[in-house]
Amino acid sequence: MRVHIGGDHAAFEMQRDLVAWLAQEGHEVVDHGPTEYDALDDYPVFVLRAAQAVAQDESSLGIVLGGSGNGEQIAANKVAGVRAALAYNPELARLAREHNDARVVSIGARMHTLEEGREIVRIFLGTPFSGEGRHQRRIDMMTAYEEDGTLPPLP
């Protein structure tokens, strides 16, 4: 699987670890940076590029990383066609894929060990979208809103 990844200085060590580990696991990794540590870098520079690449490459998934993962998730969700989920454990990573068909996972590197980060990513990449009708219906509502501002009807 092709995996797009982007982060910032707060997640630099975890990002470097994931890039190497994912390659060892047989994934095609596209690293959108940073590739050098810079304590003053800005996560949108790298995260938006990773999310945009996922939106343009339907066969891929993405990983965005920061200190908490919050800002990175928000940034990734600004890219049309991307659903990014903050996952702070493997169960949330599984549900993000299974129920929400999230294409990008956001991880807070200051909140997890490298091993925990790997496990969240492993579950995220390995879990397919269920395709269940109720989940697809909800995704379709969000897509319609994103595309033309259509609000779902009130019950």
Side-chain angles (χ1 to χ4, degrees):
M1 171 179 296
R2 189 167 20 268
V3 180
H4 295 275
I5 189 167
D8 74 356
H9 62 278
F12 187 77
E13 181 183 356
M14 183 176 283
Q15 185 172 340
R16 300 284 40 93
D17 179 77
L18 288 172
V19 167
W21 176 73
L22 287 165
Q24 288 174 346
E25 294 291 307
H27 296 284
E28 178 187 340
V29 183
V30 182
D31 187 355
H32 295 272
T35 57
E36 295 180 11
Y37 181 81
D38 176 356
L40 299 177
D41 67 9
D42 297 311
Y43 64 84
V45 172
F46 310 108
V47 167
L48 289 170
R49 283 172 170 76
Q52 185 177 51
V54 170
Q56 294 171 348
D57 180 3
E58 290 189 21
S59 64
S60 71
L61 293 175
I63 304 163
V64 296
L65 305 118
S68 70
N70 282 314
E72 294 74 21
Q73 176 203 26
I74 292 167
N77 277 315
K78 297 296 182 187
V79 175
V82 168
R83 282 181 300 283
L86 177 64
Y88 53 83
N89 62 41
E91 179 67 5
L92 284 176
R94 181 184 67 77
L95 290 170
R97 288 287 303 134
E98 193 173 273
H99 290 191
N100 307 114
D101 197 18
R103 305 231 359 257
V104 174
V105 65
S106 185
I107 301 172
R110 290 181 176 154
M111 310 296 151
H112 302 286
T113 65
L114 296 179
E115 293 76 24
E116 290 168 340
R118 285 182 182 188
E119 183 63 8
I120 290 168
V121 168
R122 186 184 70 74
I123 296 297
F124 184 80
L125 297 181
T127 303
F129 173 53
S130 72
E132 191 176 328
R134 65 189 172 117
H135 299 309
Q136 186 61 57
R137 181 177 66 247
R138 294 164 186 162
I139 290 168
D140 292 344
M141 289 177 188
M142 290 184 285
T143 300
Y145 181 79
E146 183 179 61
E147 289 176 351
D148 63 16
T150 300
L151 289 170
L154 293 171

